[in-house]
Amino acid sequence: MKLFNAFVKGTAWPVQWLCFRTKVYYADKKSQSRKIKGPAIIISNHTSVYDYAVFLFVFWRRMLHYQMAECLFRKKLLGRFLRAMGGIYVDRDARDFSFVHKSLGILAKGGVVGIFPESRLPLEGEERPLPFRTSAAYIALESGAPVIPVYTDGNYFGRGRARVIIGKSISVREMWNDSLGYKANLENISAGLRHAVIALKDELDRQREEERRRKEKKKTHVGT
């Protein structure tokens, strides 16, 4: 599985660069860069099916086991490919929580699990990101693995570049509130993780504005 993953990344690198031209930003690069050591859970907003492809190359050093919706596995060839890439099957219409146990097993072995906590793509007119489901918080609590929040602007296949920002890792156990029950804590932590992703959007906007100002200042300096 790891060899196949590395082969796909190696052969697809030029293609993904042409499609996405991803530029990566950081909330604090010293705290959390693209390098991931040990077990971790990556969470992010969900803009399209291409988010997964983008993150494969943002965190190219590690094999990412992403939770994926059942609809992606209905086509046999695609389903086999996703499983070979480490994809975790999630049936959103059934009360089957085997994906949770599989995720915990991967983390216990030091792996990296990717989750889109919104569970689906937002519809036109819906607030973005959608409220986060509690499974990511549950897996993080049970495993003790750090959560790495990520935000993508979803600008794929356009003239511009896709922009992704990586946030500081979060220990959800530090977010636990002893005055709340388990279910309330899951909901509270999920809301906190969603807020962390929203904060990354604001930070990305801030850093891009700083970039724009530096470029304008440089043009002004050259023109004088």
Side-chain angles (χ1 to χ4, degrees):
M1 190 179 286
K2 288 185 178 180
L3 287 175
F4 180 74
N5 199 275
F7 172 78
V8 170
K9 289 179 181 178
T11 55
W13 189 276
V15 177
Q16 67 84 27
W17 176 250
L18 289 173
C19 294
F20 309 127
R21 299 177 60 236
T22 309
K23 184 171 183 178
V24 181
Y25 298 75
Y26 307 90
D28 183 351
K29 192 174 182 179
K30 292 182 178 179
S31 172
Q32 181 61 61
S33 67
R34 297 169 73 166
K35 295 180 181 179
I36 302 175
K37 297 179 180 179
I41 300 167
I42 298 172
I43 64 165
S44 75
N45 61 313
H46 201 11
T47 68
S48 79
V49 294
Y50 299 106
D51 296 334
Y52 166 66
V54 169
F55 295 150
L56 277 181
F57 296 94
V58 170
F59 300 101
W60 63 270
R61 293 176 177 86
R62 296 296 300 273
M63 181 170 178
L64 307 184
H65 297 269
Y66 256 87
Q67 294 180 4
M68 300 176 177
E70 72 291 334
C71 57
L72 297 175
F73 292 86
R74 287 174 182 158
K75 293 184 178 180
K76 289 185 178 180
L77 287 179
L78 178 59
R80 289 176 182 175
F81 172 78
L82 294 176
R83 284 190 173 91
M85 289 296 290
I88 301 171
Y89 178 91
V90 180
D91 190 341
R92 297 169 297 176
D93 299 323
R95 296 188 63 80
D96 177 10
F97 299 102
S98 59
F99 72 94
V100 172
H101 301 298
K102 187 168 184 178
S103 298
L104 290 171
I106 291 168
L107 293 167
K109 294 178 181 178
V112 178
V113 171
I115 303 174
F116 296 112
E118 293 170 87
S119 184
R120 65 173 175 83
L121 293 171
L123 301 175
E124 186 176 352
E126 286 186 314
E127 182 182 11
R128 299 178 183 227
L130 297 170
F132 281 10
R133 300 290 184 89
T134 58
S135 58
Y138 175 83
I139 292 169
L141 277 172
E142 293 299 309
S143 67
V147 175
I148 302 173
V150 179
Y151 176 83
T152 174
D153 67 0
N155 186 26
Y156 311 144
F157 304 100
R159 292 183 179 180
R161 303 181 64 174
R163 287 176 167 80
V164 170
I165 183 167
I166 302 171
K168 299 179 183 179
S169 63
I170 300 169
S171 172
V172 298
R173 289 180 176 177
E174 295 180 1
M175 300 170 70
W176 183 269
N177 186 338
D178 289 331
S179 66
L180 299 176
Y182 195 85
K183 182 179 180 181
N185 262 296
L186 285 179
E187 293 174 350
N188 190 52
I189 291 170
S190 297
L193 295 177
R194 179 175 180 271
H195 177 75
V197 171
I198 292 172
L200 285 177
K201 177 187 182 304
D202 295 337
E203 177 62 17
L204 177 60
D205 291 342
R206 185 190 69 79
Q207 291 190 29
R208 291 192 65 186
E209 178 61 20
E210 284 188 355
E211 282 184 344
R212 186 191 66 78
R213 290 178 180 176
R214 284 196 298 267
K215 288 179 181 178
E216 288 296 325
K217 186 175 181 180
K218 187 176 181 180
K219 288 180 181 178
T220 303
H221 179 72
V222 172
T224 55

